[in-house]
Amino acid sequence: MLKKITTTAAILVVGSTAALAHVTLETKEAPLGSTYKAVLRVPHGCEGKPTNTVRIQIPEGFYGVKPQPKAGWTLGKVKGTYAKVYDNHGSPVTEGVKEVVWSGGNLGDDEYEEFVLRGTIAADLKAGEMLYFPVIQECPEGLKERWIEVPAAGQKASDLELPAPGVKLLQKAGN
Amino acid sequence: MTPLCYKALSLTGTLPRFVYAILLWSVMAAAASAHASLNTTEPRDGSVVSTAPRVIALTFSEPVSPTSLKLTRPDRSTVTLKNFALKDRTVEITPPDLSDGSYLLSWRVVSEDGHPIGGSVVFSIGRPNADAGRTVVDIDWPVRTGLWIGKVALYVGLFFGVGGAFAVHWFANGSGKALRQVLATLGIGFAGALLSAGFQGLDAVGEPVSQLFAPAVWKAGMTTSFGPTVIFAIAALALAGLALASGRGKDARWISISALITAAFALCLSGHASAADPQLLMRPAVFLHVATIAIWAGALLPLLAEFRKGGEAAGAALHRFSVFIPWAVLVLAVAGCVLAVVQVRTPAGLITTAYGIVFLVKLGLLVLLFALAAINRWKLTSRSEKGEPAAIRQLTRSVAAETVILLLIFAVAATWRFTPPPRTLIAEVQRTAVVHLETSKAVADVRITPDRAGEVGISAVIAKSDRSPLDPQEVTVVLSNPGAEIEPIRRRAEKGRDGWTVPDIVLPISGRWRLRLDVIISDFEITRMEGEIEIAP
């Protein structure tokens, strides 16, 4: 009985905080038009297996992406054409990195690691909305942990089993 | 006849709104989905082990504490497991003695970050028991009796009560002479509807009568296909009550016909006949059968009351009834024949199965009923309308007898609840439940064979929303039964020539299961397709 009560209390107290078991972004908010340093936090592997590859999809509207190399991991960049033309200090940008892959690593299930990339948040996105960075962890034996779900209208991120990490867009700084 | 048709037609505007409103009530809140992070289990999910495990171990990605551990045994009984120990990230459960057969452990735990998560582990000792449930299960007579009484009472309410309200307004011109009788039958029906929901729950989860007041039992009852029937039946009874309370006039007539339609709709939502193929034929047949029985049966109490209290109104009511009823009986008989042919299939089924014998008994009573009705119609009606006392005396006696016979027919028909129709016995070996799932990204046709509790195979054909081919990377089948508190069972589907399959998965109990396909369309794209399926006992 006591156990039940404490458990219930525990759910009530911490139930509202984000699940620590998910892959998340360290900085949860960023202004439009700013340079954003995305720090991806990977808390565990797949069903107890180590993570060998981390893939992150770059959303449309996040351009000029530069990933940070990581010792012990091979860095891969999948480039492609953007849906729109973005402005980089006056010069138009039409293509760039659309997916970043860190592979060949060995991150134990009982270990923690961060993966970093940098880019610019387009000024013409909408403040108040979320920008999602879907992530896949690949492990031995073909196991994968996918953090790729984006809430549909009326859904909360906490309703999702596999929520994609996201950053909330704020009004452009200085406006 | 003509004004009746006219009224019925002018209803078409208000009726959909009515049905829509009722539908809204029955929408249930969706349960929040869980964040699963189970690493391994011992025995493994879906495995067959040679000897009973001493310990069932669940290992998670982080320390957890269990909030609910329920084991469903091969005989479909459920036991709550309280004997467990926490060892770091592993929950070690010591089960009671386990005999051969299939077990389902439904677990729910809360992790350190506060997220409750749940799932199910299915394992078999010896061999998977597809059939153990059906041979081992004892008939729980008190529950059966309760189910039967509830069903008869529900029939009384829907046929005599709702039909009565219809007759009062359409035949007896809104007369209040039969008010007490009809209200009483509505009350019986209401009690029957409630009782049925509870006993249906007991039957679904296999609990004894002593558990009748457990909320989980009622929840289970309402999640079977009988749940919507109960909701619509109560709505029909309430509408009939409203019609009686509305006095004479157009409004009351409309309400009474809405009640009748709702009642017929209620009964075509569940039951053997409604579940039969072809659905496009069977469901309307049940609807018409029920509606016309209600028109006939419902008229009897008001007519009796009119003649008991005398007056000219009685003759007029009888006249209106006798002009209309041949058409109702024609529809009743045609619909009844369709149902019988589909259900019984072969003449031999009539004498070799319990279902067929119930049908024959009902048929015998029907012959009696039709004989009485024929006497009333051709010998007594015109004389009674003219007010001949001798004829009226005979008619009231005969109508009273009709009422009793109808009651007997309801009592007999209610036993069908316990007899599988020959149709299902013939097709039992390979009956398949089919469900169509759809999201904005994909469509899927899922087949579950056989459609009954035990070991089943699942296959899914998946395509894009525009029906063009889709080649998903991964497909996971997730089955849960919230009504019976069974947490999700997950199985990765295999890609085959004709779509995605899970060859063997054990569904330990019957009832309404929630089915979900998690389809990984491309690396970063997933769609979750949800639907419900009815699994037969």
Side-chain angles (χ1 to χ4, degrees):
Chain A
M1 192 63 203
L2 189 66
K3 180 167 248 138
K4 240 182 199 165
I5 293 170
T6 36
T7 316
T8 316
I11 296 172
L12 288 175
V13 172
V14 285
S16 54
T17 62
L20 300 170
H22 301 161
V23 165
T24 49
L25 286 167
E26 188 175 68
T27 311
K28 305 254 183 278
E29 293 179 336
L32 296 175
S34 70
T35 300
Y36 177 65
K37 179 184 164 197
V39 179
L40 197 69
R41 304 184 294 189
V42 179
H44 62 70
C46 327
E47 297 174 26
K49 304 268 184 335
T51 304
N52 304 127
T53 300
V54 173
R55 297 166 60 190
I56 179 165
Q57 194 184 40
I58 307 301
E60 188 64 34
F62 192 63
Y63 63 97
V65 172
K66 286 187 167 192
Q68 179 178 308
K70 196 164 199 56
W73 298 75
T74 310
L75 182 59
K77 288 161 279 193
V78 181
K79 293 190 180 171
T81 316
Y82 295 138
K84 280 170 68 177
V85 178
Y86 297 99
D87 172 70
N88 182 15
H89 302 287
S91 57
V93 184
T94 57
E95 55 173 37
V97 178
K98 301 202 74 164
E99 187 184 325
V100 177
V101 184
W102 287 275
S103 59
N106 189 24
L107 172 61
D109 181 53
D110 55 356
E111 293 165 1
Y112 168 85
E113 185 55 285
E114 295 181 342
F115 298 82
V116 180
L117 56 86
R118 220 181 68 152
T120 308
I121 298 174
D124 59 356
L125 292 176
K126 258 172 90 186
E129 290 195 343
M130 296 290 292
L131 192 62
Y132 290 102
F133 293 80
V135 171
I136 302 177
Q137 283 174 257
E138 294 181 3
C139 303
E141 297 169 26
L143 285 177
K144 285 179 187 175
E145 285 279 341
R146 294 170 198 267
W147 308 100
I148 60 174
E149 276 188 290
V150 171
Q155 231 180 356
K156 286 179 295 185
S158 57
D159 293 340
L160 302 175
E161 267 181 52
L162 310 171
V167 56
K168 190 176 182 186
L169 302 177
L170 304 177
Q171 285 293 353
K172 198 167 176 176
N175 275 11
Chain B
M1 187 58 207
T2 325
L4 193 109
C5 283
Y6 179 73
K7 286 276 160 60
L9 277 175
S10 62
L11 255 173
T12 46
T14 42
L15 202 66
R17 238 175 292 158
F18 229 104
V19 174
Y20 187 68
I22 296 164
L23 270 173
L24 275 179
W25 305 349
S26 54
V27 171
M28 292 171 201
S33 60
H35 298 244
S37 205
L38 176 71
N39 281 353
T40 55
T41 67
E42 189 57 50
R44 283 195 79 84
D45 187 22
S47 64
V48 180
V49 294
S50 51
T51 54
R54 238 175 6 86
V55 171
I56 304 172
L58 309 176
T59 305
F60 293 85
S61 57
E62 53 192 282
V64 297
S65 42
T67 52
S68 163
L69 299 169
K70 290 176 83 174
L71 187 70
T72 305
R73 292 183 282 217
D75 62 359
R76 294 176 202 183
S77 62
T78 303
V79 60
T80 300
L81 303 177
K82 297 210 175 77
N83 197 356
F84 62 85
L86 299 175
K87 286 190 184 156
D88 189 25
R89 297 176 302 153
T90 303
V91 182
E92 290 191 356
I93 305 153
T94 309
D97 284 340
L98 305 177
S99 52
D100 281 7
S102 293
Y103 291 82
L104 178 139
L105 171 68
S106 178
W107 54 267
R108 200 160 176 78
V109 300
V110 58
S111 53
E112 275 184 335
D113 63 16
H115 266 289
I117 62 177
S120 287
V121 180
V122 182
F123 61 92
S124 305
I125 303 169
R127 59 173 201 92
N129 62 323
D131 292 318
R134 48 187 48 229
T135 47
V136 172
V137 157
D138 288 325
I139 294 172
D140 188 337
W141 287 105
V143 169
R144 226 167 222 222
T145 311
L147 270 172
W148 179 76
I149 292 173
K151 200 120 205 192
V152 175
L154 184 64
Y155 285 161
V156 165
L158 292 183
F159 293 129
F160 288 132
V162 175
F166 176 83
V168 163
H169 287 294
W170 290 89
F171 301 137
N173 201 20
S175 147
K177 289 188 184 117
L179 189 64
R180 270 205 318 210
Q181 290 92 316
V182 177
L183 274 181
T185 53
L186 287 178
I188 292 172
F190 186 69
L194 288 182
L195 199 66
S196 304
F199 277 94
Q200 188 75 20
L202 289 177
D203 194 46
V205 295
E207 295 281 0
V209 175
S210 57
Q211 292 298 310
L212 183 57
F213 296 102
V217 163
W218 287 75
K219 213 170 119 196
M222 292 307 283
T223 46
T224 64
S225 68
F226 197 64
T229 295
V230 169
I231 292 167
F232 278 87
I234 288 176
L237 296 166
L239 281 171
L242 186 67
L244 290 178
S246 308
R248 284 162 206 256
K250 226 161 58 168
D251 289 350
R253 288 186 166 204
W254 286 18
I255 299 170
S256 73
I257 208 167
S258 317
L260 187 78
I261 289 169
T262 312
F265 189 61
L267 290 189
C268 77
L269 286 175
S270 67
H272 291 312
S274 303
D277 284 326
Q279 292 270 292
L280 276 177
L281 175 69
M282 292 303 275
R283 289 204 191 245
V286 173
F287 182 91
L288 290 174
H289 196 62
V290 170
T292 45
I293 295 170
I295 291 171
W296 183 358
L300 300 180
L301 287 177
L303 283 176
L304 270 180
E306 291 293 334
F307 277 106
R308 288 245 167 84
K309 302 209 173 149
E312 281 174 17
L318 179 62
H319 180 71
R320 262 178 244 126
F321 171 74
S322 59
V323 167
F324 180 67
I325 203 63
W327 302 103
V329 170
L330 182 69
V331 175
L332 168 67
V334 170
C337 288
V338 168
L339 296 178
V341 168
V342 172
Q343 290 287 65
V344 182
R345 286 286 152 94
T346 58
L350 283 175
I351 38 173
T352 53
T353 63
Y355 187 96
I357 289 164
V358 171
F359 178 81
L360 286 181
V361 173
K362 191 185 159 194
L363 201 65
L365 287 166
L366 271 174
V367 169
L368 257 175
L369 184 68
F370 276 113
L372 276 177
I375 294 172
N376 294 348
R377 175 95 171 91
W378 285 293
K379 285 260 158 88
L380 303 171
T381 294
S382 59
R383 285 164 58 206
S384 301
E385 279 173 20
K386 284 180 208 133
E388 280 182 35
I392 289 175
R393 224 178 306 125
Q394 265 183 298
L395 184 78
T396 46
R397 237 179 277 150
S398 161
V399 170
E402 263 187 66
T403 312
V404 173
I405 294 174
L406 270 171
L407 207 54
L408 285 174
I409 291 177
F410 297 159
V412 171
T415 61
W416 262 329
R417 166 68 175 73
F418 313 106
T419 60
R423 157 182 69 80
T424 59
L425 295 177
I426 293 168
E428 196 160 56
V429 189
Q430 279 304 325
R431 245 185 82 86
T432 298
V434 182
V435 61
H436 180 76
L437 308 177
E438 214 164 334
T439 65
S440 58
K441 292 176 180 166
V443 294
D445 285 309
V446 186
R447 304 169 68 82
I448 300 192
T449 314
D451 69 340
R452 56 191 171 85
E455 200 177 33
V456 303
I458 299 176
S459 67
V461 177
I462 302 167
K464 287 186 187 155
S465 305
D466 59 4
R467 303 291 193 277
S468 62
L470 175 66
D471 188 18
Q473 293 195 359
E474 277 174 27
V475 175
T476 305
V477 175
V478 185
L479 282 152
S480 62
N481 191 330
E485 293 183 3
I486 291 181
E487 298 284 341
I489 307 171
R490 292 156 204 275
R491 286 285 184 288
R492 179 75 68 84
E494 292 157 22
K495 193 170 162 182
R497 256 186 319 122
D498 316 314
W500 294 80
T501 55
V502 175
D504 52 343
I505 179 168
V506 174
L507 300 181
I509 62 159
S510 60
R512 187 169 288 200
W513 284 74
R514 198 170 280 175
L515 170 75
R516 199 180 77 201
L517 290 190
D518 291 351
V519 180
I520 306 287
I521 296 174
S522 61
D523 273 350
F524 291 99
E525 202 179 356
I526 185 175
T527 187
R528 297 189 194 274
M529 322 181 72
E530 286 189 77
E532 285 191 337
I533 40 151
E534 190 78 24
I535 294 295

